[in-house]
Amino acid sequence: NPDQFTLFNFIPLPGCDIWKDPGKYNIRIVNQDFKNYFNIAGNNQGGLVVETEELGVKDLSNLRQDFVAFLNKKGQSGPLQDYYNK
């Protein structure tokens, strides 16, 4: 059982190899609005800006929600930080 967990969405940043050549990594960058290029810890969710051939943005969002729910059921001994309220 984790003491604490944080789950981030994958976000390739401009200038990295994945940003320059996403097809090489079998992903598509579907959103280049930089307001969506952030990561927030805890139960909050950062931007979803990539998808794969098999998993669209909605699929990835649902998988993340399911995994967070699973981790929450297992419990954690440390508190989650809500960065939206900081």
Side-chain angles (χ1 to χ4, degrees):
N1 292 332
D3 289 333
Q4 199 170 29
F5 66 87
T6 302
L7 189 62
F8 295 98
N9 298 321
F10 173 70
I11 298 177
L13 297 176
C16 74
D17 193 53
I18 297 170
W19 176 270
K20 292 176 187 175
D21 190 6
K24 176 179 170 182
Y25 300 92
N26 295 318
I27 66 167
R28 285 184 301 278
I29 297 174
V30 296
N31 188 327
Q32 292 187 0
D33 181 351
F34 290 114
K35 289 184 285 186
N36 295 305
Y37 280 64
F38 62 93
N39 282 305
I40 300 296
N43 282 327
N44 300 304
Q45 184 168 320
L48 286 162
V49 299
V50 299
E51 63 184 13
T52 70
E53 188 173 311
E54 295 83 15
L55 297 168
V57 169
K58 184 69 176 162
D59 299 315
L60 293 167
S61 177
N62 290 340
L63 285 169
R64 182 190 181 281
Q65 289 172 349
D66 290 347
F67 190 54
V68 168
F70 167 78
L71 291 172
N72 282 330
K73 283 181 189 175
K74 290 196 67 71
Q76 65 178 5
S77 60
L80 284 179
Q81 295 179 342
D82 185 350
Y83 287 92
Y84 280 117
N85 293 318
K86 286 190 172 199

